[in-house]
Amino acid sequence: MEPQNIPTFFLIFTFTVFSFPLSFLAAAAEGYDGARSSIAFATWLRSSYSFDIFSLPTSGPANEVRLTDGVSVNSNGHFPSPSSVSMLPHLPNRVLPTTHLIYVTERNGSSSIYHDAIYETPLATSSGSRSAHRASTESIRVECKYQTDSTRSQVRLVGGDAETGGRISMKDRPTLVGQNLIYVSTHEDPGQPRASWTAVYSTLLTTGSTRRLTPRGVADFSPAVSPSGVWTAVASYGETGWQGDIEELGTDIYVFLTRDGSNRVRVVEHGGWPSWANDSTLYFHRRGEDGWWSIYRASFHIREGENRAESVVTHRVTPPGLHAFTPAASVSNPRFIAVATRRPDSEFRHVELYDVVSNRFIMSTRSVTPNAHHYNPFISPDSTRVGYHKCRGSTGHARRNDLVLENIKSPISNISLFQVDGSFPSYSPDGERIAYVKLTTEPMAYVDSPGLYVMNSDGSGVRAVLTRPAFATAWDWKRRGVVYTSVGPIFAGERSNVDIVSVNVDDENPSIKTLTHGGQNNAFPSASPDGKWIVFRSGRSGYKNLYVMDALNGETGGLRRLTEGPWTDTMCNWSPDGEWIVFSSDRGNPGSGSYELFKIHPNGTGLQKVLQSGSGGRINHPWFSPDGKYIVFVADYAGVSAEPISNPHHFQPYGDVFVIKSDGSGIKRLTHNSYEDGTPAWSPKFAKPVNAEWPNDGSHCSFEDCHWLS
Ligand SMILES: *[C@@H]1O[C@H](CO)[C@@H](O)[C@H](O)[C@H]1NC(C)=O
Ligand SMILES: *[C@@H]1O[C@H](CO)[C@@H](O)[C@H](O)[C@H]1NC(C)=O
Ligand SMILES: *[C@@H]1O[C@H](CO)[C@@H](O)[C@H](O)[C@H]1NC(C)=O
Ligand SMILES: *[C@@H]1O[C@H](CO)[C@@H](O)[C@H](O)[C@H]1NC(C)=O
């Protein structure tokens, strides 16, 4: 069934309703005194998340409508209650809109929460496509109110950078309660490594005054407000903090007063993604002991002033045999809930309705878009519509927005930040070009083959240089156009067939020079600034350690060992002043998966630990700033920022980009998202903070659902 295309005419009111009194964050407070420069990094498959929010009548899978703009990356919607909407200060004085939507949108390089009011003209009698469909159960009322012609107003409620005074943060899972918006934000640093910055806030939209509802030192995920507005439920670790989980988070469900966060009570041990049916019942998900993610229901009595919930009864709602998760309860019709499912006979995530009385699944997006992933359902207050987000690309009616380079709003004004649609970007010494790779593990979007690519640093002129599986890129500092990479499988063992090659990307028929031999996982080349040497990691001793070889003739021209030990030293980068090599190592606990940041002089002296991400943390892919005073890297230093199951697959959903002084002090978080950011590299030049689009047309949806649900 073709989904209907909502508006062609947008009326856009994008004004700031208020502004925070936060003008004190001047450049000096940014904690970065380096020259203007740029950092490029990869975010796992982010360029193909052309998400929009859609909805279907709960009566049956017909008349899907797109509710959001078809341009931005829109997700995690919420249908506000009519009473809340009537209290909003900013509604333009026009005909009553039919649909109100509060949602998360990624646009202009940061994440914010918007309110769209969608206006519709009266139903045209001639249209056959709007005939009502009977529900598959008697209890669900049938009506489709949506029209193809409409206008919309879009209002930003929180986010962007204006009201946080330049503090960039992720905003997520919004609910409107009266004139307050309850949502997640990551703008406050808990001040300790490996702790999630995710906390729940309440912003009064009339004044902008914002209150933190999550206690300091605690991370709360996935807030849900009860129908009366009195209580808010969250998934939280309590005091224990993020434990390194990347599949199911080991959270419990806590409830507190929406008013001020007080009266915080744990109601359920082991659970996430709460959704209230009424003020004494909530649904949530957990992975059961039989391995199936399932929906559970908890009922309890809770009263203000009491420090525990009474008579808590929890029971499983959805059966084993399929995964069901991210529940949305229906407030006006207790008969059904909406869930996302992964069934053994489908590799796609669908939104389904489940009748909690007859214990039957009664509706699914599978008959609308069988080959798309549908995320994070939510139900309208009158229970007539179920909303969700999915990639708009396959439906063919969207404007394109696939970007080669996406400018990400940077918390440091002297650094422009670019998300590259490719892995391991590196800038040429003059900052004019970017080399990067398409990995074999990446579904292909624009290009066809895995391999080494090069483009201008404004995103133009993309071309393939080498169409063989490769990873990591680095430029020679002296010989123009010479790029190093490692050819062979990524994430492989010590003895895998990986060798370092150099190639001049300016040659008409670039010839490939192999610099290492024997294929014992020789990888991550980085050139010395005098153009004479390459530092790299090799598994030739049975362990991955660092070696230095001749840049021109490879290991036959001269080879020496830089580090030695029964552990892994890897991801090395040579400082522009030639004095240091920074690298990632698990020597603190070999084989544990925990990596720390070290640096060493190229002559093997002066080994120092630069940074450790808490106990058991990971720091990877370090890269020196052009002046050598800073290091950029990715780490789990800020934990995870959302329940991983609410997103497409990410191998390391905790990956965020940070910078630090090269002595290990003054860590700064650069990215805020719930995706996997990786492989940053620094440019000597400041690139203008603008996006660059792929030259081809049409959005792609080449991402995968969480592998661990298969
Ligand atoms: C930004 O960079 C310029 C030179 O590129 C430098 O003069 C200035 O001091 C830097 N600003 C800050 C706040 O570090
Ligand atoms: C912000 O993003 C929207 C769509 O995502 C785009 O139309 C608009 O031009 C952008 N504004 C700026 C200032 O870049
Ligand atoms: C709340 O919802 C549950 C489940 O639908 C129901 O059993 C219970 O009676 C409801 N309680 C109230 C107070 O409405
Ligand atoms: C090793 O290199 C460092 C930095 O270049 C230098 O300060 C030190 O003197 C060198 N040590 C030896 C033994 O050569």
Side-chain angles (χ1 to χ4, degrees), residues 469-489:
F471 61 96
T473 68
W475 295 74
D476 192 277
W477 291 83
K478 297 288 186 201
R479 289 180 296 144
R480 192 180 156 78
V482 171
V483 171
Y484 302 91
T485 187
S486 24
V487 172

Side-chain angles (χ1 to χ4, degrees), residues 434-617:
I434 299 174
Y436 67 95
V437 294
K438 277 281 169 189
L439 296 174
T440 45
T441 43
E442 239 171 293
M444 297 298 122
Y446 170 59
V447 292
D448 297 314
S449 326
L452 175 68
Y453 290 78
V454 67
M455 64 179 159
N456 300 320
S457 55
D458 65 1
S460 66
V462 174
R463 62 192 168 86
V465 175
L466 181 64
T467 50
R468 277 151 67 180
F471 61 96
T473 68
W475 295 74
D476 192 277
W477 291 83
K478 297 288 186 201
R479 289 180 296 144
R480 192 180 156 78
V482 171
V483 171
Y484 302 91
T485 187
S486 24
V487 172
I490 192 171
F491 303 123
E494 280 73 10
R495 311 264 184 207
S496 313
N497 203 6
V498 181
D499 274 310
I500 290 168
V501 304
S502 68
V503 52
N504 191 325
V505 301
D506 291 335
D507 289 350
E508 209 155 305
N509 294 303
S511 63
I512 293 149
K513 192 162 165 185
T514 304
L515 301 180
T516 58
H517 304 283
Q520 298 193 315
N521 214 335
N522 302 302
F524 293 104
S526 177
S528 63
D530 61 8
K532 291 189 176 142
W533 306 104
I534 301 294
V535 63
F536 65 105
R537 76 107 200 267
S538 173
R540 60 190 63 206
S541 71
Y543 295 99
K544 291 171 182 167
N545 291 151
L546 301 185
Y547 296 78
V548 174
M549 68 176 166
D550 185 88
L552 208 51
N553 299 310
E555 61 179 270
T556 53
L559 176 76
R560 69 190 158 81
R561 189 167 184 154
L562 183 61
T563 64
E564 181 163 4
W567 52 66
T568 295
D569 300 321
T570 187
M571 302 170 185
C572 34
N573 181 256
W574 209 309
S575 68
D577 62 6
E579 291 287 297
W580 292 102
I581 288 161
V582 64
F583 62 101
S584 184
S585 175
D586 72 350
R587 58 181 64 205
N589 191 356
S592 67
S594 175
Y595 283 83
E596 296 156 10
L597 203 58
F598 287 86
K599 62 179 186 181
I600 190 169
H601 287 308
N603 62 12
T605 67
L607 178 76
Q608 280 177 40
K609 190 196 281 191
V610 179
L611 184 68
Q612 177 172 359
S613 178
S615 164

Side-chain angles (χ1 to χ4, degrees), residues 69 71-72 107-108:
D69 68 356
V71 181
S72 315
R107 52 180 86 182
N108 308 106

Side-chain angles (χ1 to χ4, degrees), residues 27-28 30 32-37 413-414:
E30 290 179 349
Y32 174 80
D33 60 5
R36 281 157 63 84
S37 56
S413 50
N414 261 8

Side-chain angles (χ1 to χ4, degrees), residues 266-282:
R266 187 172 73 168
V267 293
V268 172
E269 204 174 320
H270 183 192
W273 206 264
S275 177
W276 299 83
N278 55 44
D279 272 51
S280 54
T281 304
L282 54 78

